[in-house]
Amino acid sequence: QVQLQESGPGLVSPSQTLSLTCTVSGASITASDDHWSWIRHPPGKELEWMGGQVHDGGTYYNPSLKSHTSISRDTSKNQFSLQLSSVTPEDTAIYYCARYYSGSYYYRSSYNYWGQGTQVTVSS
């Protein structure tokens, strides 16, 4: 059974960098054909795909967020991480990590495993 668990601070100050980590169990983040993604759900808005990482460490991002989003990983811990710089209150959301399955990155149905989500609030 594949499981994902997000971790990180629940409150971040404006202009700071948000850092979240996703710990994966039941699957390896280096396994061929697997993509691991970050998705967020701002209050009152639709899900927003942020970016992902493939098995060899390559990354790809939502063009609208690319300028201040970075995804990295620690293969020894089977974890991948999100860094979002220069955050504003507009970045307040529930953040999810998920394993991509197929189809458009922008659709919920394209992911077959999800973390439970972690609430992040950007406020001073």
Side-chain angles (χ1 to χ4, degrees):
Q1 177 73 12
V2 178
Q3 293 183 321
L4 297 90
Q5 179 66 59
E6 304 90 350
S7 60
L11 180 65
V12 183
S13 297
S15 80
Q16 300 301 302
T17 295
L18 164 67
S19 295
L20 296 174
T21 295
C22 182
T23 301
V24 179
S25 60
S28 172
I29 63 172
T30 61
S32 295
D33 299 328
D34 276 345
H35 295 213
W36 304 91
S37 295
W38 287 97
I39 299 158
R40 67 182 182 180
H41 193 182
K45 299 182 180 179
E46 296 184 350
L47 282 176
E48 181 177 38
W49 170 67
M50 302 183 72
Q53 187 169 57
V54 298
H55 64 93
D56 64 0
T59 53
Y60 48 97
Y61 301 99
N62 184 328
S64 68
L65 298 171
K66 184 177 182 179
S67 64
H68 69 128
T69 303
S70 178
I71 295 174
S72 59
R73 67 181 187 174
D74 184 338
T75 57
S76 68
K77 297 180 180 179
N78 212 36
Q79 297 174 332
F80 64 104
S81 297
L82 171 75
Q83 294 83 42
L84 187 66
S85 62
S86 304
V87 296
T88 73
E90 292 291 307
D91 294 306
T92 294
I94 299 174
Y95 285 75
Y96 298 92
C97 55
R99 189 175 81 171
Y100 169 79
Y101 175 63
S102 69
S104 171
Y105 297 127
Y106 295 90
Y107 295 158
R108 179 191 292 269
S109 59
S110 299
Y111 302 87
N112 56 1
Y113 290 99
W114 293 73
Q116 65 182 21
T118 187
Q119 173 70 48
V120 176
T121 300
V122 179
S123 175
S124 56

